[in-house]
Amino acid sequence: MTTRSVETQDEALDNVRVSNLRVNARETPRGIDTRAPEFSWNLDSSRAGVLQIGWQLQLRREGSTDVFWDSGENDGDQPFGHLYSGSPLRSSTTYLWRVRIRDESGAWSEWSGEVLFETGILDASEWAGQWVTAQDDTAGALYLRGPALLPEKIDRARLYVSSLGWHRLFVNGVDHTGPALVPRFTPFGKEIEYQMYDVTDSLRPGENVVAVAVGDGRYRGRLGIFDRRNAFGETLAAMTQLVVQSGDRELTFVSDSSWRGGSGRITQTDPKHGEHADLRIAEDDWVSGSTAPHRLSPVRILPAPPVRLVAEQVERVTAVARFRPRVWRSPEGAQLVDLGQNIAGIVRLRVSGPAGRAVRMTFSEVLDPDGELDVDWILHNPKKPWRQRDEVILDGTERWWQPWFTIHGFRYVQIDGLDDELSADDVEGIALSTDVGTAGSFTASDERLSQLWRNVLWSTRSNFVDTATDCPTRERSGWTGDIQVFAPTATGILDSQAFLRRYLRSVSLEQRPNGNIPPWIPSERTGNAGPLTHVVSEVLGNSVGWGDVAVLTPWDLYRYYGDSSTLERQYRSMQLWVRRLARAARRPGASRLLSRRFGEHEKFILDSGFHWGEWLRPGEGFAMLDGTLHGAALATAYFERSSRTLSAVADVLGRDHDRVRYLELAERVRTAWRAAFVSDGGRRIGEDKQDDYVRALTFGLLSEDEKPRATERLAELIRAAGTHLATGFLSTPLLLSALRENGQADLAMRVLLQTTTPSWLGQVERGATTIWETWDGGYEEAGRARASHNHYAFGAVAGWLREELAGISPASPGYRRIRIEPLVTEYLDWVDASVQTPYGEIRSRWQGTPHNGRLEAVIPAGTTVEIVTPDGVTTRSGSGRITVAWPETRTG
Ligand code: BGC
């Protein structure tokens, strides 16, 4: 292969600056409880070819000029993953830190500006607040309030709040929570989050009112496929601790028996079914009145839940976008609203009408063929109908209203009960999601592909709520398989590192000692789930592709973020899962009971236990038993994949014994898999479905001479399906790579650009604004929609758009070395993409044809890149702006 040298353009001989300082993968986090926070930064320079070869960190306490910790000068090219190692940090303290780096010339940069982080409560013994609730359990929200008698001087005040159910905090009437849904969903039986609020500016000398409302949230509200309430408890409660700095004194005020509690205006707070409020019940008296209203009585003190209170590890779920909708009347005269975008969120509505009048908002992702709101699409179960519906009883005044404790998956809303014709000015759609920035962009000369990418972005936003969910409508559960297939893509859509770390932490908390992983995380197993839930979870928790999240997703964090500390933290969980697979393989399953054809390899063939299998292959519907009855080739392939990945993890962590052990296991499984499932030199694999060939090719299970034959068979199957994919959840994300890497780029493009079902662009052409759970969305037969319209799993193709069509991928963990190898194709004139990496942003844009074109890239400081153009030439370069052209004679 030809190589050519650098074409970077020096803009100026300018020094390196250090920017984008982050702690625990977040900007200026407040209220964290890690004893060894993790520091990262980016380099900034318009000079080309910048590298970091050393770094130094300094940290001081706010209000003091003394250096509290100095890391000293260190060698190293990673601007991330550096852990604090000074003397113990103090709780509730603000620290300021700065960093400088040594560049490739040996020169030190200037110190960065100082950036803060703040600790929360670091030691459980510091909690003094009591858990309080109303005398009688409230059906709706729980309203609590308590006093704080403060001195003249208030220098700094922090209020820590935890709750059983979502809460909203007010201090003297000032809303400190806003639309955020906190605390997040954790395995509540083991861990509950607390929030830290800076309330300095809301307090005053003398009497103060701290008011907390608590809704069902994920604690008491309906959850998952079974739509069950009270999974963790029936009683809502909260605990607060206010820490006030007054000169040299530190004063603490906590929730205790001086508090009052009861009910109020919110009469139903279900996270799925919606919120009901009666505006005739006052609120001002509770939130800031000088005396508590009569409906509140002295609280009941609860024993503290026997769990760990943990700080927030990722940004809150809050308003991330607002929409001005279109409003009109349906053929039957219903008042309808269209946001123009399917989202997870709520609606803010201007209401007016006589006191006692009910105004209802009913939410849906779809309209029926007659243009009416379709509320039946999501479950289609006449025995268990449910609506995402908010309802408000008016008090006779005109006002804006929005719910506090619910979230809906919707694009359309029907509004009933208003006298006046609604105008677009009376209603606002509010998307709620984890408040992190986007981590990439993608546009192409074919606008449909740009729209496909936006649809994936919105499905990510809608499902990156308080855990990574399957959909924001039906189950809203943290299905392991969905995030397992989607995580690599997510890293280039939203800033996902802290979010995925947090998910994995819950995975290890929920994992059973036998390695089993509940199929959705958090499960209800740490709550008061009945025996049936335990059995279901135990059985479903065997499934490969789903449980493999324990091994494959930490590895993805390592690949895309260079995150070796996650590998360390999750290592035990990974081992437990692989051990489980090995144990399950030794147990004879369905196929071996029928024939003992696997011989000596038998104990490495995984054909026992429940498996979801490929899941949702087009035309097969929700085939519940397929994976269990016909899934041995699939399950064994995942057994191999996880064992091999674990060996690679052990290698990174320097555990040599384990590296060898898991590699040997992977080799034995691979040999067994090949003996059992490959015949005709690779032309016949497993069940002879498209996904059998995709897995074989992308998991590296075939020999070099088998690959062309397997590829040929895969291409044949695709052509026989009319140039359509026939893969499901697990292999769809891998299909196009399998084709491109094996000389079938043209076929990959034709499948990508296909518009008849099943296809990505078919959905786009039918006006989809998110990714659907099923390829046809149910529209084809009766014109009615079925199933979820906001499942990101099939949207994993956006990862392929970034990594192969635009061509940007990490050549080493965390993109320290970058590879840009775009698929320049006659089907498109140009592709433009960017991705945020731990080193900063990579941009790349190509235009032209495979025979004649150019590529412009911007490479972040601290990295190097190799760009492979369609003429087979590789260009190596350091950071900066780079332009390459093909054929090579046109360079420059
Ligand atoms: C969910 C999925 C999930 C699946 C398990 C469905 O009901 O919506 O996305 O992975 O069950 O196969």
Side-chain angles (χ1 to χ4, degrees), residues 845-849 852-856 869 883-886 890 892:
R845 179 189 173 91
W846 63 257
Q847 60 193 91
T849 67
N852 191 336
R854 59 193 271 127
L855 181 145
E856 293 163 67
T869 40
T883 304
V884 291
W886 59 91
R890 291 183 63 250

Side-chain angles (χ1 to χ4, degrees), residues 571-771:
Y571 191 68
R572 178 80 192 130
S573 156
M574 299 182 200
Q575 284 187 299
L576 283 176
W577 176 251
V578 169
R579 190 184 300 164
R580 232 212 73 69
L581 294 177
R583 212 181 316 116
R586 285 197 294 271
R587 204 178 303 135
S591 34
R592 265 180 286 166
L593 293 177
L594 299 177
S595 70
R596 305 190 62 80
R597 64 193 161 107
F598 300 130
E600 58 182 292
H601 300 301
E602 203 174 298
K603 56 181 189 292
F604 298 100
I605 298 292
L606 180 47
D607 66 347
S608 67
F610 174 86
H611 301 283
W612 294 104
E614 178 62 14
W615 192 244
L616 284 183
R617 282 194 198 98
E620 291 187 5
F622 296 84
M624 297 296 286
L625 289 179
D626 181 69
T628 305
L629 298 179
H630 310 288
L634 183 154
T636 308
Y638 273 89
F639 179 20
E640 199 272 353
R641 182 119 174 121
S642 273
S643 313
R644 191 172 296 277
T645 304
L646 183 52
S647 167
V649 172
D651 191 25
V652 174
L653 300 180
R655 297 173 196 250
D656 211 48
H657 176 74
D658 284 0
R659 178 187 64 78
V660 174
R661 183 156 68 108
Y662 294 120
L663 190 61
E664 276 170 11
L665 175 62
E667 287 302 332
R668 299 200 67 162
V669 181
R670 182 170 184 269
T671 309
W673 184 89
R674 293 169 52 76
F677 305 115
V678 184
S679 54
D680 199 6
R683 259 194 70 84
R684 168 75 206 218
I685 297 179
E687 301 285 313
D688 195 34
K689 307 254 183 179
Q690 287 185 19
D691 48 270
D692 284 302
Y693 299 90
V694 171
R695 266 188 303 280
L697 289 163
T698 55
F699 287 12
L701 293 167
L702 298 177
S703 65
E704 282 311 309
D705 53 320
E706 286 162 344
K707 285 184 182 174
R709 296 172 67 89
T711 310
E712 195 189 334
R713 179 65 187 147
L714 173 60
E716 241 171 58
L717 289 170
I718 293 172
R719 279 193 293 268
T723 321
H724 285 106
L725 58 84
T727 44
F729 257 40
L730 294 183
S731 302
T732 300
L734 310 170
L735 171 68
L736 302 184
S737 302
L739 291 172
R740 184 201 181 192
E741 278 163 22
N742 291 285
Q744 292 282 352
D746 186 72
L747 187 56
M749 284 308 297
R750 282 191 290 135
V751 173
L752 175 69
L753 298 175
Q754 177 61 267
T755 55
T756 51
T757 305
S759 67
W760 290 283
L761 296 192
Q763 291 182 2
V764 169
E765 290 191 347
R766 274 140 80 197
T769 62
T770 40
I771 303 295

Side-chain angles (χ1 to χ4, degrees), residues 27 84 315 486 494 532 829 881:
E27 277 170 37
Y84 174 78
E315 308 314 318
F486 190 69
L494 291 181
L532 184 64
D829 299 328
R881 276 175 190 284

Side-chain angles (χ1 to χ4, degrees), residues 225 470-471 474-475 479-482 546 612 615-616 622 624 729 773 788 791 793:
I225 190 78
D470 57 337
C471 60
R474 186 183 62 217
E475 284 158 68
W479 280 96
T480 50
D482 303 44
W546 274 251
W612 294 104
W615 192 244
L616 284 183
F622 296 84
M624 297 296 286
F729 257 40
E773 178 179 24
S788 146
H791 252 68

Side-chain angles (χ1 to χ4, degrees), residues 278-290:
D278 186 342
L279 300 184
R280 294 169 303 182
I281 302 173
E283 190 161 79
D284 298 354
D285 53 358
W286 157 71
V287 85
S288 58
S290 54

